[in-house]
Every structure is written in C-alpha cells, then in structure tokens.
Amino acid sequence: MRLGVLDVGSNTVHLLVVDAHPGAHPEPMRSEKTHLRLTEHLEGSRLTEAGIGQLVCAVTRAKAAATSAGCEELLAFATSALRDADNSATVLSRVRAETGVALQVMSGEDEARYTFLAVRRWYGWSAGRLLVLDIGGGSLEVAAGRDEDPDIALSLPLGAGRLTRQRLTENPPSRGELKALADDLDAALTPIARRISEAGPYDLAVGTSKTFRSLARLAGAAPSSAGLRARRTLTDVGLRQVFGFISRMASADLATLSGVSAARAHQLVAGALVAGAAMRALDIQELTICPWALREGVILRRLDSLGGPTAVRRPWPLTDRQRRRAVTIAR
C-alpha cells in the first residue's frame, strides 16, 4: 500500500510518501518539505494568525501532493511547536476545517517512543540495548531500552530552534552566550543521565535527526549521496572540533557548508551545544547516525496493524504498556 506521513514540526511541514506492506522495508517514493519555522510565528506562547494561515497553506499543499501520489492513507501529526502553543486546539480545528486533515498532537514521550522503534527496526536485535538521541527544533528526545518499546522515553524542551531563539541572540553567538547555555544544558541533563544510568548500560548509542546528520557530515561522515546504508558516526572529539569553527561563523556562512541546509543553519550552533552536553552527560564517545527516525516509526507502527482485526479502528496498535500513552492518527 502507499502511505503518506505528514509531520508538522518546529522547522518544517514534511510529507513522506512510502510504498510498503507488513514485513517489508518501506520504500520512499516522495518527500516534500515546506520550511515554515512555525516557532518563529509565536507571540508569547500563541501561534499568530499569520502563522496559522501559513500552516493551513502548507498542509493544503501536502494533502494535494499525497493525493497526487496516490496515497491510500495519510497519517498526520504535529510535534513540539503545536504541543506547546496555548491556542493549539484552535489551530488544529482550523486546519481540519480548511484542509480536511485531522492533525493530532503527539506527546513528547510518544515522539521518543516512535523514534526508538524506527531505530530498533533499522539496527535489529543484534544491536542490544539502545540509547537513542533526537534533537529537533523544539525538543530533545531521549530513549533507552532492549525491546521495541523503550524502558525510558523522555522529552526535554531543549530543541535547537527553541534555544537559538531564546538564548543565542547574537550572530555569531558571543562567548558569554555559549558558556551560559552550555552550563545550563549540563545542569539540565545531569538528572536525565542519572535515570539512564540506573536503567542499565547501553550497547549502541544512536543519533537521529537533521542536526546530528549535519554535525556528522561536518565531522567527516559520508555525504547523503553515499546512500542510506553508508555507516556514519559522530565522535565526541569530532563534535568538539566542529564546534570550534562553527561557533565563530554567522548563520549565512554556515549555510554554505556541506550537509547544512539554509533553513536550519541558524540553529546549528545550539544543536551542537545540545549534542555535546548530551554526549558528556551520558558518557558517549561515539554516536552512530541512523537514517530512520520519527516518521519511519509512525509508518512501521501502522504497518504492524495491517491484517489485524483492529486495524481500521486503531491505525497504530499498541502494547498494554503503551496504550494509555497512545496517539491515535485519524484517517
């Protein structure tokens, strides 16, 4: 079947279209992005009318693209930008009324769980206990466990875009701004590291998301042209070297670097600070970069449901442990 996944994030509205069936590798057929930077349309904690209008336009285009691609189903969800907006319910209602798309707001914990599922499926059981980090525009997700459902799934308001907007006001950031933010990140991640450590050691540490991919590329990892299956890593030493030069560059100059998109260049330094703090706190010397993340996790969970008696009623079948945390995606 052909599935569409529409992810409304802090930076982009991203449609991914795949061909897949249960037990098979989802085959990407189409990917379209609108670089909306939704969090930049916030006044206080409310999304502005202009921001809502642009979101409606982006969702309308994505729905048309999904229809044109022949999608049998569109799974649509929103993450931290709408999760944190005080007028989220109003925004969702307007999007549904004007586009026919029923966006569902995914909790941070569920975001961590679906990302973890994607990483587990990519590396398989032989990877052992996984520790997964995902730096988004609005939040940092951390998950750890040995099964497909992680033992720990956390979401922290430490996204690269959020921190850039709130803490890094100069371009490039001043030494004082960088030092203050690094200290606060270390303090915020200390209790998280304690929880992860108490749950047991990990066998493989994994990073997902555009932020980690960009940092790994700058540290010498293979370019995207090498394909999804090229092994890519980011070491703590490599990250420190990368930070040493990107922290002194203006965002316009960062956008010219290989692997850095113009739409996200402005938040790369904050992303590197979050990555460094997480790797220090969790004692990670090397991260393996996984090409699959949240959207793939949503697709995989939906595919798991095909053929089951409850597939029509519940697109994402959950374990008893997950059930109370479920995010139901309307068709």
Side-chain angles (χ1 to χ4, degrees), residues 119 123 127-132 201-206 231 286-288:
V119 174
Y123 291 110
R129 183 175 175 81
L130 294 173
L131 172 60
V132 178
Y202 62 86
D203 298 298
L204 181 67
V206 179
R231 186 174 186 272
E286 182 179 83
L287 278 170
T288 298

Side-chain angles (χ1 to χ4, degrees), residues 33-273:
K33 297 179 184 179
T34 300
H35 295 286
L36 192 55
R37 292 190 186 178
L38 206 55
T39 53
E40 295 183 9
H41 294 282
L42 292 172
E43 286 184 355
S45 55
R46 296 178 64 83
L47 191 62
T48 64
E49 279 298 312
I52 297 172
Q54 289 188 38
L55 175 60
V56 167
C57 290
V59 172
T60 298
R61 288 194 297 270
K63 181 183 178 182
T67 300
S68 174
C71 290
E72 300 172 48
E73 197 171 345
L74 180 64
L75 310 177
F77 61 89
T79 54
S80 64
L82 286 182
R83 187 162 66 227
D84 298 338
D86 287 346
N87 59 339
S88 176
T90 299
V91 175
L92 296 175
S93 178
R94 182 167 163 187
V95 168
R96 182 163 190 168
E98 296 190 28
T99 71
V101 175
L103 276 179
Q104 301 294 318
V105 176
M106 183 179 290
S107 73
E109 183 178 330
D110 283 321
E111 193 173 341
R113 289 181 180 279
Y114 285 110
T115 300
F116 185 90
L117 171 64
V119 174
R120 168 58 71 195
R121 293 284 179 89
W122 181 267
Y123 291 110
W125 299 113
S126 64
R129 183 175 175 81
L130 294 173
L131 172 60
V132 178
L133 307 178
D134 187 333
I135 302 172
S139 59
L140 163 69
E141 275 66 52
V142 183
R146 188 175 298 278
D147 301 322
E148 291 196 338
D149 183 26
D151 301 324
I152 297 175
L154 306 170
S155 181
L156 305 168
L158 302 177
R162 183 196 298 267
L163 294 177
T164 300
R165 189 175 66 255
Q166 295 177 349
R167 302 292 301 273
L168 303 182
T169 60
E170 300 182 40
N171 185 18
S174 68
R175 288 177 179 268
E177 285 183 326
L178 295 175
K179 176 64 164 59
L181 180 52
D183 289 346
D184 288 348
L185 287 170
D186 286 340
L189 288 167
T190 296
I192 303 304
R194 188 177 303 117
R195 286 189 60 181
I196 297 293
S197 177
E198 290 172 351
Y202 62 86
D203 298 298
L204 181 67
V206 179
T208 73
S209 79
K210 177 62 174 176
T211 295
F212 277 122
R213 291 197 301 272
S214 294
L215 293 170
R217 177 72 186 108
L218 292 174
S224 58
S225 59
L228 290 182
R229 289 171 178 77
R231 186 174 186 272
R232 298 174 175 89
T233 62
L234 176 65
T235 65
D236 55 348
V237 173
L239 178 59
R240 288 196 296 271
Q241 292 173 340
V242 167
F243 184 76
F245 71 85
I246 68 171
S247 61
R248 299 193 295 270
M249 297 175 68
S251 57
D253 296 323
L254 289 172
T256 66
L257 299 177
S258 176
V260 180
S261 67
R264 294 174 185 261
H266 69 292
Q267 65 185 45
L268 185 63
V269 172
L273 281 171

